[in-house]
PDB file of all heavy atoms in Angstrom:
ATOM      1  N   GLY W 271     197.761  48.259  95.398  1.00 85.00           N
ATOM      2  CA  GLY W 271     198.471  48.341  96.668  1.00 85.00           C
ATOM      3  C   GLY W 271     198.793  49.777  97.042  1.00 85.00           C
ATOM      4  O   GLY W 271     198.212  50.725  96.515  1.00 85.00           O
ATOM      5  N   THR W 272     199.725  49.913  97.955  1.00 89.00           N
ATOM      6  CA  THR W 272     200.122  51.239  98.421  1.00 89.00           C
ATOM      7  C   THR W 272     200.748  52.050  97.291  1.00 89.00           C
ATOM      8  O   THR W 272     201.713  51.599  96.671  1.00 89.00           O
ATOM      9  CB  THR W 272     201.124  51.112  99.574  1.00 89.00           C
ATOM     10  OG1 THR W 272     200.500  50.418 100.658  1.00 89.00           O
ATOM     11  CG2 THR W 272     201.590  52.487 100.047  1.00 89.00           C
ATOM     12  N   PRO W 273     200.229  53.217  96.988  1.00 92.00           N
ATOM     13  CA  PRO W 273     200.831  54.045  95.941  1.00 92.00           C
ATOM     14  C   PRO W 273     202.122  54.688  96.415  1.00 92.00           C
ATOM     15  O   PRO W 273     202.392  54.772  97.625  1.00 92.00           O
ATOM     16  CB  PRO W 273     199.757  55.098  95.659  1.00 92.00           C
ATOM     17  CG  PRO W 273     199.026  55.235  96.964  1.00 92.00           C
ATOM     18  CD  PRO W 273     199.035  53.862  97.583  1.00 92.00           C
ATOM     19  N   ASN W 274     202.897  55.133  95.462  1.00 95.00           N
ATOM     20  CA  ASN W 274     204.140  55.851  95.775  1.00 95.00           C
ATOM     21  C   ASN W 274     203.761  57.281  96.171  1.00 95.00           C
ATOM     22  O   ASN W 274     203.891  58.225  95.385  1.00 95.00           O
ATOM     23  CB  ASN W 274     205.069  55.837  94.565  1.00 95.00           C
ATOM     24  CG  ASN W 274     206.377  56.577  94.796  1.00 95.00           C
ATOM     25  OD1 ASN W 274     206.652  57.044  95.903  1.00 95.00           O
ATOM     26  ND2 ASN W 274     207.182  56.692  93.753  1.00 95.00           N
ATOM     27  N   THR W 275     203.311  57.446  97.386  1.00 96.00           N
ATOM     28  CA  THR W 275     202.738  58.726  97.799  1.00 96.00           C
ATOM     29  C   THR W 275     203.760  59.860  97.778  1.00 96.00           C
ATOM     30  O   THR W 275     203.434  60.985  97.376  1.00 96.00           O
ATOM     31  CB  THR W 275     202.112  58.609  99.195  1.00 96.00           C
ATOM     32  OG1 THR W 275     203.084  58.068 100.110  1.00 96.00           O
ATOM     33  CG2 THR W 275     200.899  57.699  99.155  1.00 96.00           C
ATOM     34  N   VAL W 276     204.989  59.587  98.189  1.00 97.00           N
ATOM     35  CA  VAL W 276     205.983  60.659  98.180  1.00 97.00           C
ATOM     36  C   VAL W 276     206.350  61.015  96.743  1.00 97.00           C
ATOM     37  O   VAL W 276     206.594  62.186  96.419  1.00 97.00           O
ATOM     38  CB  VAL W 276     207.226  60.266  99.013  1.00 97.00           C
ATOM     39  CG1 VAL W 276     208.010  59.136  98.359  1.00 97.00           C
ATOM     40  CG2 VAL W 276     208.124  61.476  99.224  1.00 97.00           C
ATOM     41  N   GLY W 277     206.355  60.029  95.861  1.00 97.00           N
ATOM     42  CA  GLY W 277     206.596  60.326  94.450  1.00 97.00           C
ATOM     43  C   GLY W 277     205.481  61.161  93.857  1.00 97.00           C
ATOM     44  O   GLY W 277     205.711  62.072  93.061  1.00 97.00           O
ATOM     45  N   ILE W 278     204.245  60.836  94.243  1.00 97.00           N
ATOM     46  CA  ILE W 278     203.100  61.610  93.765  1.00 97.00           C
ATOM     47  C   ILE W 278     203.170  63.042  94.281  1.00 97.00           C
ATOM     48  O   ILE W 278     202.864  63.995  93.553  1.00 97.00           O
ATOM     49  CB  ILE W 278     201.793  60.903  94.179  1.00 97.00           C
ATOM     50  CG1 ILE W 278     201.652  59.593  93.401  1.00 97.00           C
ATOM     51  CG2 ILE W 278     200.583  61.795  93.966  1.00 97.00           C
ATOM     52  CD1 ILE W 278     200.553  58.680  93.904  1.00 97.00           C
ATOM     53  N   ALA W 279     203.597  63.211  95.535  1.00 97.00           N
ATOM     54  CA  ALA W 279     203.782  64.563  96.073  1.00 97.00           C
ATOM     55  C   ALA W 279     204.825  65.323  95.269  1.00 97.00           C
ATOM     56  O   ALA W 279     204.678  66.524  95.000  1.00 97.00           O
ATOM     57  CB  ALA W 279     204.195  64.484  97.542  1.00 97.00           C
TER      58      ALA W 279
END
Side-chain angles (χ1 to χ4, degrees):
T272 299
N274 179 5
T275 53
V276 68
I278 292 169

